[in-house]
Amino acid sequence: MAVEYNAFITEETIEGDADGPLADARVAVKDNISTAGIRTTCGSEMLADYVPPYSATVVDRLTEAGATVVGKTNMDEFGMGTTTETSAFGPTRNPADPERVPGGSSGGSAAAVAAGAADVALGSDTGGSVRCPAAFCGVVGIKPTYGLVSRYGLVAYANSLEQIGPIAADVETAAKALSVIAGPDPNDGTTRDPSAVDGADGDTAYAAAADGDVDGLTIGVPTELFDGADDRVVETVEAAIADLETQGATTTEISLPSVEHAVQAYYVIAMSEASSNLARFDGVRYGHRAESDGNWNESFAETREAGFGAEVKRRILLGTYALSAGYHDKYYKKAQDARAWVRQDFEEAFADVDVIASPTMPVLPFELGESLDDPLRMYLADANTTPVNLANLPAVSVPAGDVDGLPVGLQLVGPKFGEKTVIRAASAVEES
Ligand code: GLN
């Protein structure tokens, strides 16, 4: 079933403990999350034969909670993409329409859930990679607050932006999986215990928050995240928001002027971090090694020429450029300034509203092959998701309806460690 969609790169099982909150659940794991003894390719030729010696903290927590890992899912190479077409293992198809992409970069994870091949799937979200495929495939995806979930065992793309998050067919199941993977980890110094964070709700029993109760909730609707979106997407999302109003929520128009710069800032920061993170794939420490009788520089170059795909190379080159001595202030520093501005805009907005609602993706799922030759167009599709990563906030994408059978996702963003608020609001969208 999931085979016809190419959702999995490797179908191997890790049995879970006999009981626990996720007993009998089948979990699919994105192939950039380490699984002991099972190859973890990151969708790259470079790591096609890499078998990790240990499992990521999130994988251990899931199996200890009773879940069984059923396989490793297809993804854009190293998480770099919005369609799952940059994978070295071929594209994944969208179960809602096999001629269209499932979104990315966690497209295999969302497709596995949408096709019924998994109850829960893990993705990683650096700039939207859990929410985008959830939206395109018509399922639920949660991107946690930065620091809520351990990144130990996640192969890094851009450390300061990314979090592992759950994908499931409904909000409650995704929330239950989040509770299992959330919480501090001594192996990841950036994790935080929400109960030790000032003003944060320390209780991480998220499934109970999926009660559909939005009575009294204030929803901010930022004009900037609707401008330029496909009309049919806007209509579908507006109807879902209007429905929340009939359930007792109030809406108020807000403005986030900085988000106009979010995609640019995101790509400079993400590529810069990627250029540094991917330096380790040199054929000596990690990865495919080219047969070369040349010197180390030649061997390094040949290894990376053969091991990386075009999109990864583009990003390593641009990231290296943005970090170089002469251009650092012009690009990297400017991007960090924009990031601070985005963070501040959201903080100010959350003084007046409980959640912020928008389309998850401003477009409907692309047809296969449609966006591959046009990287800029692909990057711009991340307009609504990347601001959330820049600001390290939690967000959910929940199905809002469809346009001629193509799913449309509604994004709900909350304040730091406000997971329960976005889960509650998302569960109300499901009820309508
Ligand atoms: N599409 C974005 C990118 O290509 C987001 C990817 C992600 O979240 N891993 O960088």
Side-chain angles (χ1 to χ4, degrees):
M1 177 171 43
V3 174
E4 63 185 285
Y5 303 119
N6 198 26
F8 290 95
I9 292 176
T10 305
E11 288 191 74
E12 272 189 58
T13 305
I14 307 176
E15 290 294 337
D17 290 0
D19 43 39
L22 292 178
D24 301 326
R26 298 160 303 153
V27 180
V29 176
K30 187 177 184 179
D31 211 19
N32 60 351
I33 299 172
S34 303
T35 38
I38 297 178
R39 73 171 177 157
T40 297
T41 69
C42 293
S44 182
E45 199 61 55
M46 182 64 89
L47 292 178
D49 302 315
Y50 172 63
V51 178
Y54 67 96
S55 285
T57 299
V58 291
V59 171
D60 286 339
R61 287 187 181 171
L62 286 168
T63 51
E64 282 159 18
T68 293
V69 173
V70 293
K72 305 296 299 289
T73 57
N74 200 8
M75 57 181 282
D76 282 298
E77 189 176 4
F78 288 102
M80 300 177 185
T82 309
T83 65
T84 312
E85 291 170 297
T86 73
S87 169
F89 299 86
T92 294
R93 291 170 182 272
N94 188 333
D97 178 351
E99 293 313 311
R100 300 200 179 238
V101 303
S105 62
S106 317
S109 290
V113 170
D119 304 303
V120 174
L122 292 183
S124 61
D125 192 311
T126 311
S129 284
V130 163
R131 289 160 287 158
C132 160
F136 279 5
C137 291
V139 294
V140 175
I142 304 178
K143 181 260 176 219
T145 305
Y146 188 80
L148 182 65
V149 176
S150 169
R151 287 179 295 111
Y152 182 69
L154 169 70
V155 181
Y157 159 17
N159 328 40
S160 80
L161 296 160
E162 60 208 3
Q163 277 288 288
I164 293 169
I167 296 173
D170 60 84
V171 175
E172 192 180 349
T173 306
K176 206 195 244 184
L178 179 61
S179 294
V180 168
I181 60 175
D185 175 9
N187 285 324
D188 176 357
T190 63
T191 49
R192 308 199 51 194
D193 181 351
S195 65
V197 177
D198 249 8
D201 181 350
D203 173 19
T204 55
Y206 298 118
D211 58 9
D213 181 10
V214 286
D215 201 17
L217 196 81
T218 309
I219 303 172
V221 182
T223 44
E224 293 86 355
L225 299 187
F226 288 74
D227 288 348
D230 184 303
D231 290 342
R232 300 164 296 175
V233 169
V234 170
E235 250 168 60
T236 311
V237 166
E238 282 178 347
I241 295 173
D243 198 87
L244 293 178
E245 281 184 310
T246 67
Q247 296 184 51
T250 42
T251 59
T252 170
E253 210 173 273
I254 61 167
S255 176
L256 300 169
S258 63
V259 301
E260 160 191 0
H261 306 286
V263 172
Q264 291 90 327
Y266 166 79
Y267 273 97
V268 170
I269 293 168
M271 290 180 188
S272 297
E273 292 186 22
S275 72
S276 162
N277 279 324
L278 271 58
R280 74 190 62 158
F281 302 110
D282 55 7
V284 178
R285 287 171 294 176
Y286 289 97
H288 154 93
R289 185 184 304 185
E291 291 302 328
S292 170
D293 43 19
N295 62 28
W296 190 81
N297 279 330
E298 280 165 25
S299 156
F300 181 85
E302 282 168 30
T303 290
R304 289 162 70 84
E305 165 61 28
F308 289 139
E311 184 61 31
V312 172
K313 285 175 190 158
R314 170 164 34 239
R315 295 190 186 200
I316 292 172
L317 289 172
L318 289 169
T320 307
Y321 182 79
L323 286 178
S324 61
Y327 291 101
H328 175 272
D329 283 0
K330 198 168 163 200
Y331 297 111
Y332 186 71
K333 193 172 168 301
K334 280 256 156 59
Q336 292 294 2
D337 291 347
R339 182 175 191 173
W341 185 18
V342 171
R343 190 175 297 159
Q344 187 190 329
D345 261 1
F346 274 110
E347 243 164 56
E348 285 171 12
F350 282 122
D352 302 321
V353 302
D354 300 309
V355 292
I356 294 175
S358 75
T360 306
M361 299 301 289
V363 292
L364 293 167
F366 301 113
E367 285 175 24
L368 283 165
E370 187 185 337
S371 68
L372 261 188
D373 302 328
D374 192 350
L376 216 52
R377 176 160 170 223
M378 196 178 76
Y379 299 167
L380 285 171
D382 299 333
N384 291 3
T385 49
T386 52
V388 178
N389 301 76
L390 290 171
N392 295 340
L393 299 174
V396 176
S397 179
V398 61
D402 67 274
V403 173
D404 301 332
L406 297 176
V408 172
L410 166 69
Q411 173 175 257
L412 295 157
V413 186
K416 260 182 206 167
F417 297 107
E419 269 73 9
K420 279 189 190 158
T421 311
V422 290
I423 285 166
R424 182 166 286 122
S427 66
V429 176
E430 267 178 332
E431 277 181 13
S432 58

